[in-house]
Amino acid sequence: STISVKGNCGECKERIENAVDIKGVKTSEWNEKKQILSVTYDVKKVSLETIEKTIAKAGHETGTVKADSIAYNALPSCCKYQTTDCKKK
């Protein structure tokens, strides 16, 4: 499955992929350019909704779940994708 996930940089990638390192998730890879997380998971162990909520708790918003505001505000300034674009070339 793919999930739209907002982020800015390699640090965001690591945070997003670590967030979904939960029971039932087999693989995950976030694409910075496409702002898409590709995830393989066991539907018997975890739902897509749970995965999206876990990402939101880490401070990143998905297509359907808003980021937790406390977690978002705690992100490093570069990672605050709502107000900052810190693309590193």
Side-chain angles (χ1 to χ4, degrees):
S1 293
T2 58
I3 303 169
S4 170
V5 182
K6 300 290 183 204
N8 281 343
C9 62
E11 195 172 337
C12 292
K13 176 179 172 69
E14 188 174 334
R15 185 180 309 102
I16 292 162
E17 290 174 356
N18 285 340
V20 298
D21 186 15
I22 57 175
K23 186 174 185 167
V25 174
K26 296 175 181 174
T27 63
S28 66
E29 184 174 358
W30 182 69
N31 183 301
E32 183 181 337
K33 284 184 180 174
K34 294 180 181 176
Q35 302 280 291
I36 295 286
L37 176 71
S38 298
V39 63
T40 305
Y41 64 100
D42 184 339
V43 294
K44 293 176 186 157
K45 295 181 180 175
V46 68
S47 69
L48 197 56
E49 181 183 5
T50 298
I51 294 169
E52 290 196 48
K53 286 180 179 178
T54 303
I55 293 166
K57 284 181 189 170
H60 291 270
E61 98 185 27
T62 71
T64 58
V65 184
K66 287 282 182 199
D68 177 86
S69 59
I70 293 169
Y72 176 82
N73 289 330
L75 294 177
S77 57
C78 171
C79 298
K80 292 186 177 168
Y81 51 86
Q82 293 171 358
T83 57
T84 307
D85 181 10
C86 76
K87 302 287 186 226
K88 294 182 174 92
K89 302 293 181 211

